[in-house]
Amino acid sequence: MTRDQFSKIAYNGLWKQNTALAQLLGLCPLLAVSTNIVNGVMLALATILVMAMSNLAIAALRNLIPHEIRIPVFILIVAALVTVVDLLFNAQLHELYVVLGIFIPLIVTNCIVLARVEAFAAKNPPLDSTIDGIFMGFGLLWVLALLGGLRELLGNGMLFGGIDMVFPALSPIRILPETYPGFLLGLLPPGAFILLGCLIAWKNWMDARAAERARRKPALASEATAEAGA
């Protein structure tokens, strides 16, 4: 893999084809679990593990899987890997596992995982597919972390609620004064929809600015050349 290929895969996963802000996949866990940073990040890490391993397995076996039954085979492989991750969370992070509930097993049917398996892993080498799965997962992770942080801060004025379920020695951080009354909408599903819409609008605005700069760059270069020639 060349540096350009790596950069393209990373850019697509983290920004251009971001699963949450561009493709709008997996919105159910995205909106339901992102009540705080810890829940969002841990579900995203579970998804990254599944995506990386499933992309690797399917890319390695892609020439052996009949095209007609590829979807059931893909789901079977993903389900086996999700079972491993589910048992791992249950054994090592049981309290968090109870909080995340059904959303870890539901990774099996997550559109993000199946979309990347079908669109990328089934057509590319194992290394490229593994890296694609990792960066697609990290694209989801930073959105979940940002969305969870905003909801948590607006909702109760704190950050890292539930961190003790992962690291018992740590405790949540209060950002706003204890007299802050809280903003309940931030913790409810409608608040998640509103904040996600704001993040999507921000991404579109950033993309529009980048496109405008790219459009103006040749014009500025030609003007500079003309002035130099004069």
Side-chain angles (χ1 to χ4, degrees), residues 6 9-14 48 130-140:
F6 180 85
I9 291 174
Y11 176 67
N12 284 340
L14 295 174
I48 290 172
T130 304
I131 294 174
D132 176 78
I134 291 172
F135 278 105
M136 281 292 168
F138 272 106
L140 175 67

mmCIF file of all heavy atoms in Angstrom, residues 6 9-14 48 130-140:
data_model
loop_
_atom_site.group_PDB
_atom_site.id
_atom_site.type_symbol
_atom_site.label_atom_id
_atom_site.label_comp_id
_atom_site.label_asym_id
_atom_site.label_seq_id
_atom_site.Cartn_x
_atom_site.Cartn_y
_atom_site.Cartn_z
ATOM 1 N N PHE A 6 -3.080 5.015 1.460
ATOM 2 C CA PHE A 6 -3.374 5.085 2.893
ATOM 3 C C PHE A 6 -4.072 6.400 3.246
ATOM 4 O O PHE A 6 -5.053 6.419 3.994
ATOM 5 C CB PHE A 6 -2.077 4.942 3.696
ATOM 6 C CG PHE A 6 -2.260 4.997 5.184
ATOM 7 C CD1 PHE A 6 -2.586 3.863 5.903
ATOM 8 C CD2 PHE A 6 -2.115 6.205 5.870
ATOM 9 C CE1 PHE A 6 -2.764 3.915 7.280
ATOM 10 C CE2 PHE A 6 -2.290 6.269 7.240
ATOM 11 C CZ PHE A 6 -2.614 5.118 7.946
ATOM 12 N N ILE A 9 -7.723 6.372 2.031
ATOM 13 C CA ILE A 9 -8.589 5.548 2.879
ATOM 14 C C ILE A 9 -8.867 6.255 4.197
ATOM 15 O O ILE A 9 -10.013 6.287 4.679
ATOM 16 C CB ILE A 9 -7.944 4.171 3.117
ATOM 17 C CG1 ILE A 9 -7.932 3.351 1.819
ATOM 18 C CG2 ILE A 9 -8.699 3.395 4.202
ATOM 19 C CD1 ILE A 9 -7.189 2.032 1.923
ATOM 20 N N ALA A 10 -7.826 6.844 4.788
ATOM 21 C CA ALA A 10 -8.001 7.547 6.063
ATOM 22 C C ALA A 10 -8.915 8.751 5.914
ATOM 23 O O ALA A 10 -9.818 8.971 6.739
ATOM 24 C CB ALA A 10 -6.638 7.979 6.604
ATOM 25 N N TYR A 11 -8.722 9.526 4.854
ATOM 26 C CA TYR A 11 -9.551 10.718 4.633
ATOM 27 C C TYR A 11 -11.006 10.339 4.385
ATOM 28 O O TYR A 11 -11.926 10.980 4.906
ATOM 29 C CB TYR A 11 -8.987 11.511 3.454
ATOM 30 C CG TYR A 11 -9.823 12.715 3.071
ATOM 31 C CD1 TYR A 11 -9.932 13.809 3.935
ATOM 32 C CD2 TYR A 11 -10.492 12.755 1.850
ATOM 33 C CE1 TYR A 11 -10.686 14.910 3.579
ATOM 34 C CE2 TYR A 11 -11.258 13.854 1.501
ATOM 35 C CZ TYR A 11 -11.354 14.934 2.365
ATOM 36 O OH TYR A 11 -12.125 16.017 2.024
ATOM 37 N N ASN A 12 -11.211 9.289 3.595
ATOM 38 C CA ASN A 12 -12.583 8.842 3.335
ATOM 39 C C ASN A 12 -13.274 8.402 4.621
ATOM 40 O O ASN A 12 -14.431 8.735 4.863
ATOM 41 C CB ASN A 12 -12.585 7.696 2.324
ATOM 42 C CG ASN A 12 -12.343 8.171 0.901
ATOM 43 O OD1 ASN A 12 -12.539 9.339 0.597
ATOM 44 N ND2 ASN A 12 -11.893 7.275 0.051
ATOM 45 N N GLY A 13 -12.566 7.625 5.441
ATOM 46 C CA GLY A 13 -13.182 7.116 6.658
ATOM 47 C C GLY A 13 -13.444 8.178 7.700
ATOM 48 O O GLY A 13 -14.503 8.188 8.336
ATOM 49 N N LEU A 14 -12.483 9.085 7.872
ATOM 50 C CA LEU A 14 -12.611 10.082 8.923
ATOM 51 C C LEU A 14 -13.495 11.261 8.526
ATOM 52 O O LEU A 14 -14.142 11.863 9.392
ATOM 53 C CB LEU A 14 -11.228 10.609 9.321
ATOM 54 C CG LEU A 14 -10.284 9.585 9.975
ATOM 55 C CD1 LEU A 14 -8.910 10.207 10.182
ATOM 56 C CD2 LEU A 14 -10.854 9.092 11.304
ATOM 57 N N ILE A 48 -15.361 -0.776 15.876
ATOM 58 C CA ILE A 48 -14.072 -0.787 15.180
ATOM 59 C C ILE A 48 -13.480 -2.196 15.172
ATOM 60 O O ILE A 48 -12.970 -2.669 14.144
ATOM 61 C CB ILE A 48 -13.098 0.205 15.843
ATOM 62 C CG1 ILE A 48 -13.541 1.642 15.581
ATOM 63 C CG2 ILE A 48 -11.675 -0.002 15.327
ATOM 64 C CD1 ILE A 48 -12.752 2.679 16.366
ATOM 65 N N THR A 130 -8.628 -3.997 6.007
ATOM 66 C CA THR A 130 -8.504 -3.831 7.458
ATOM 67 C C THR A 130 -8.343 -2.364 7.821
ATOM 68 O O THR A 130 -8.996 -1.861 8.745
ATOM 69 C CB THR A 130 -7.308 -4.629 7.985
ATOM 70 O OG1 THR A 130 -7.449 -6.008 7.615
ATOM 71 C CG2 THR A 130 -7.223 -4.533 9.503
ATOM 72 N N ILE A 131 -7.492 -1.665 7.089
ATOM 73 C CA ILE A 131 -7.286 -0.238 7.355
ATOM 74 C C ILE A 131 -8.561 0.545 7.094
ATOM 75 O O ILE A 131 -8.915 1.470 7.847
ATOM 76 C CB ILE A 131 -6.116 0.292 6.499
ATOM 77 C CG1 ILE A 131 -4.807 -0.371 6.958
ATOM 78 C CG2 ILE A 131 -6.013 1.810 6.596
ATOM 79 C CD1 ILE A 131 -3.615 -0.038 6.092
ATOM 80 N N ASP A 132 -9.283 0.175 6.034
ATOM 81 C CA ASP A 132 -10.556 0.835 5.749
ATOM 82 C C ASP A 132 -11.544 0.643 6.903
ATOM 83 O O ASP A 132 -12.207 1.599 7.333
ATOM 84 C CB ASP A 132 -11.161 0.275 4.456
ATOM 85 C CG ASP A 132 -12.527 0.852 4.151
ATOM 86 O OD1 ASP A 132 -12.602 1.988 3.658
ATOM 87 O OD2 ASP A 132 -13.540 0.162 4.413
ATOM 88 N N GLY A 133 -11.630 -0.574 7.423
ATOM 89 C CA GLY A 133 -12.530 -0.829 8.547
ATOM 90 C C GLY A 133 -12.147 -0.030 9.777
ATOM 91 O O GLY A 133 -13.018 0.508 10.477
ATOM 92 N N ILE A 134 -10.844 0.074 10.038
ATOM 93 C CA ILE A 134 -10.387 0.828 11.215
ATOM 94 C C ILE A 134 -10.744 2.305 11.084
ATOM 95 O O ILE A 134 -11.297 2.911 12.011
ATOM 96 C CB ILE A 134 -8.869 0.648 11.398
ATOM 97 C CG1 ILE A 134 -8.561 -0.798 11.813
ATOM 98 C CG2 ILE A 134 -8.328 1.630 12.436
ATOM 99 C CD1 ILE A 134 -7.080 -1.124 11.838
ATOM 100 N N PHE A 135 -10.459 2.897 9.932
ATOM 101 C CA PHE A 135 -10.702 4.334 9.785
ATOM 102 C C PHE A 135 -12.187 4.660 9.655
ATOM 103 O O PHE A 135 -12.630 5.725 10.115
ATOM 104 C CB PHE A 135 -9.912 4.890 8.601
ATOM 105 C CG PHE A 135 -8.484 5.198 8.945
ATOM 106 C CD1 PHE A 135 -7.463 4.371 8.530
ATOM 107 C CD2 PHE A 135 -8.170 6.312 9.715
ATOM 108 C CE1 PHE A 135 -6.146 4.635 8.864
ATOM 109 C CE2 PHE A 135 -6.864 6.594 10.054
ATOM 110 C CZ PHE A 135 -5.842 5.757 9.631
ATOM 111 N N MET A 136 -12.968 3.772 9.055
ATOM 112 C CA MET A 136 -14.412 3.980 9.049
ATOM 113 C C MET A 136 -14.946 3.949 10.482
ATOM 114 O O MET A 136 -15.827 4.724 10.862
ATOM 115 C CB MET A 136 -15.097 2.919 8.197
ATOM 116 C CG MET A 136 -15.024 3.162 6.707
ATOM 117 S SD MET A 136 -16.005 4.595 6.212
ATOM 118 C CE MET A 136 -15.427 4.831 4.528
ATOM 119 N N GLY A 137 -14.388 3.044 11.286
ATOM 120 C CA GLY A 137 -14.784 2.978 12.685
ATOM 121 C C GLY A 137 -14.361 4.218 13.456
ATOM 122 O O GLY A 137 -15.126 4.728 14.284
ATOM 123 N N PHE A 138 -13.158 4.721 13.195
ATOM 124 C CA PHE A 138 -12.707 5.929 13.884
ATOM 125 C C PHE A 138 -13.506 7.160 13.446
ATOM 126 O O PHE A 138 -13.680 8.104 14.227
ATOM 127 C CB PHE A 138 -11.214 6.157 13.660
ATOM 128 C CG PHE A 138 -10.354 5.457 14.655
ATOM 129 C CD1 PHE A 138 -9.633 4.318 14.307
ATOM 130 C CD2 PHE A 138 -10.263 5.915 15.960
ATOM 131 C CE1 PHE A 138 -8.850 3.655 15.231
ATOM 132 C CE2 PHE A 138 -9.471 5.267 16.895
ATOM 133 C CZ PHE A 138 -8.765 4.129 16.532
ATOM 134 N N GLY A 139 -13.990 7.150 12.198
ATOM 135 C CA GLY A 139 -14.882 8.220 11.786
ATOM 136 C C GLY A 139 -16.153 8.228 12.605
ATOM 137 O O GLY A 139 -16.655 9.291 13.009
ATOM 138 N N LEU A 140 -16.688 7.036 12.876
ATOM 139 C CA LEU A 140 -17.858 6.928 13.746
ATOM 140 C C LEU A 140 -17.500 7.319 15.178
ATOM 141 O O LEU A 140 -18.292 7.977 15.865
ATOM 142 C CB LEU A 140 -18.399 5.495 13.709
ATOM 143 C CG LEU A 140 -19.550 5.177 14.669
ATOM 144 C CD1 LEU A 140 -20.812 5.932 14.273
ATOM 145 C CD2 LEU A 140 -19.821 3.672 14.698
#
